[in-house]
Amino acid sequence: MMKNISVIILTFNEEIHLERCLTNISKISNSLFIIDSFSTDKTIEIAKKFNTKIFQNKFINQAQQLQWAINNCDIQTEWIIRIDADEYFTLELINEVKERLTGLNSNINGVILKRRHYFLDRWIRHGDRYPLYILRIWRNGKATVEQKWMDEHIILLEGESIIFKNDFIDHNLNNLSWFIDKHNKYATREAIELLINESRREPNGLFTDLKKSISNSSYRNRFFKSFFYKNKLLLIRSCIYFFYRYFFLLGFLDGKEGLIYHFLQGFWYRFLVDSKIVEIKHIASRKKISIEEAIIEVTGYKDFKV
């Protein structure tokens, strides 16, 4: 166990995952911060068994909740790890963190990890789903959260990042109904993000300094997808993206579980985002109100801010 690392975990009704996550990550740190969005299940009860520091804060989106944690938890350690409740580190990654983190050069302020995703208990290895590179470890005070409604990243304020060799696991145990409900909420937030960027005539967060926070290949993919996906073929683009991901990027090799995943996440979800964009623009046009006012009316986000 390392005393110079704190861990931030955002939770809402995570009783199915939290004990697995805390048992795993406590092998690295005993400075554990739970930021809960007023769970109604046994999440808090489980968290208390691990001597965590528990905070509760109203959830608006991931970026705001994580930044709230950084600003309000009085974290004193040199390093911070962000992990979701349905994630855990492989034993190899745990050992790599223990062996390498304290010896990093002073100009290295961030560590990028490889995400391995399981869906219906199957490792999704194709369709550009593995490896996904995400900055999840950073020096305290040397990073901030990209303030986006969806697909936010940790952004280094100074210094460089390094990629560790081993994986962390994203393995959610909930059922398909939960998955669909979650992605419906994601689609709302992504539609908001795309509409905000469109109204500002800005690309989808591309000019944020991400090159130190994700790998070069991931940055290029984000640039390509953001430009193409933002500007072309509303509603039709989800079909093109699914075909590209499932056939050209070999998503079909992930079996029947992969077909379900790539269809739902690569086609249905993207089509739903576009549908919500169409709905919001329709409301704005019919009622002759701004896009921001239409977003509030459609989503009910009273705390919405551009």
Side-chain angles (χ1 to χ4, degrees), residues 271-285:
F271 191 85
L272 186 59
V273 171
D274 281 1
S275 300
K276 289 174 183 280
I277 290 172
V278 170
E279 178 189 28
I280 291 168
K281 287 185 173 181
H282 173 72
I283 293 293
S285 175

Side-chain angles (χ1 to χ4, degrees), residues 5 75 82 87 150 209:
I5 300 176
I75 298 173
R82 181 266 173 97
E87 297 171 344
M150 192 66 192
D209 186 8

Side-chain angles (χ1 to χ4, degrees), residues 117-145:
H117 183 218
Y118 284 81
F119 178 79
L120 296 180
D121 297 327
R122 182 177 182 129
W123 179 4
I124 304 299
R125 305 181 67 163
H126 304 92
D128 200 30
R129 296 291 92 191
Y130 179 82
L132 293 177
Y133 294 93
I134 309 173
L135 193 148
R136 287 296 190 91
I137 306 176
W138 66 94
R139 287 191 198 268
N140 196 353
K142 302 297 184 181
T144 189
V145 184

Side-chain angles (χ1 to χ4, degrees), residues 74-88:
D74 191 28
I75 298 173
Q76 299 295 320
T77 56
E78 180 181 6
W79 293 95
I80 300 173
I81 294 176
R82 181 266 173 97
I83 187 171
D84 291 339
D86 59 357
E87 297 171 344
Y88 58 93

Side-chain angles (χ1 to χ4, degrees), residues 7 78 130 142 162 178 238 264:
V7 180
E78 180 181 6
Y130 179 82
K142 302 297 184 181
I162 190 171
W178 181 92
S238 57
L264 289 177

Side-chain angles (χ1 to χ4, degrees), residues 213-277:
S213 304
I214 58 179
S215 69
N216 288 334
S217 61
S218 296
Y219 185 85
R220 289 193 298 269
N221 287 340
R222 180 166 175 170
F223 184 94
F224 172 77
K225 289 178 182 178
S226 296
F227 176 80
F228 176 79
Y229 204 83
K230 176 180 181 295
N231 293 289
K232 310 293 182 183
L233 304 174
L234 189 72
L235 295 174
I236 298 174
R237 59 195 181 185
S238 57
C239 303
I240 299 171
Y241 176 63
F242 171 73
F243 183 89
Y244 172 74
R245 177 167 146 179
Y246 191 69
F247 293 103
F248 188 79
L249 296 179
L250 307 180
F252 63 87
L253 294 178
D254 290 319
K256 62 180 181 296
E257 296 87 358
L259 173 59
I260 296 169
Y261 175 76
H262 291 298
F263 181 83
L264 289 177
Q265 206 272 339
F267 172 73
W268 171 79
Y269 167 70
R270 293 292 168 187
F271 191 85
L272 186 59
V273 171
D274 281 1
S275 300
K276 289 174 183 280
I277 290 172

Side-chain angles (χ1 to χ4, degrees), residues 50-204:
F50 288 83
N51 195 31
T52 58
K53 299 174 184 177
I54 301 169
F55 297 81
Q56 289 190 306
N57 188 57
K58 180 181 178 181
F59 183 88
I60 298 174
N61 58 48
Q62 293 282 114
Q64 292 187 37
Q65 192 79 330
L66 183 56
Q67 190 63 58
W68 186 93
I70 293 171
N71 294 343
N72 292 278
C73 288
D74 191 28
I75 298 173
Q76 299 295 320
T77 56
E78 180 181 6
W79 293 95
I80 300 173
I81 294 176
R82 181 266 173 97
I83 187 171
D84 291 339
D86 59 357
E87 297 171 344
Y88 58 93
F89 285 11
T90 61
L91 179 59
E92 293 80 7
L93 179 57
I94 288 172
N95 291 333
E96 185 175 15
V97 170
K98 290 179 178 179
E99 292 168 5
R100 297 185 62 186
L101 195 63
T102 56
L104 292 179
N105 292 334
S106 59
N107 69 313
I108 302 296
N109 289 329
V111 179
I112 294 170
L113 304 180
K114 294 192 301 181
R115 173 179 173 264
R116 184 197 307 174
H117 183 218
Y118 284 81
F119 178 79
L120 296 180
D121 297 327
R122 182 177 182 129
W123 179 4
I124 304 299
R125 305 181 67 163
H126 304 92
D128 200 30
R129 296 291 92 191
Y130 179 82
L132 293 177
Y133 294 93
I134 309 173
L135 193 148
R136 287 296 190 91
I137 306 176
W138 66 94
R139 287 191 198 268
N140 196 353
K142 302 297 184 181
T144 189
V145 184
E146 186 184 21
Q147 287 303 304
K148 298 180 63 184
W149 277 84
M150 192 66 192
D151 193 30
E152 76 288 341
H153 286 81
I154 298 294
I155 305 299
L156 292 184
L157 300 172
E158 59 183 87
E160 303 295 328
S161 62
I162 190 171
I163 300 175
F164 275 9
K165 177 182 178 181
N166 293 291
D167 299 354
F168 74 96
I169 309 298
D170 179 344
H171 186 185
N172 192 285
L173 302 174
N174 285 300
N175 59 27
L176 275 177
S177 295
W178 181 92
F179 179 91
I180 290 169
D181 181 63
K182 180 184 77 168
H183 278 77
N184 181 38
K185 294 182 174 72
Y186 282 179
T188 298
R189 298 206 291 268
E190 184 151 356
I192 290 172
E193 185 64 34
L194 290 170
L195 284 166
I196 289 172
N197 290 327
E198 182 179 311
S199 67
R200 294 175 176 171
R201 299 184 182 275
E202 294 177 356
N204 188 19

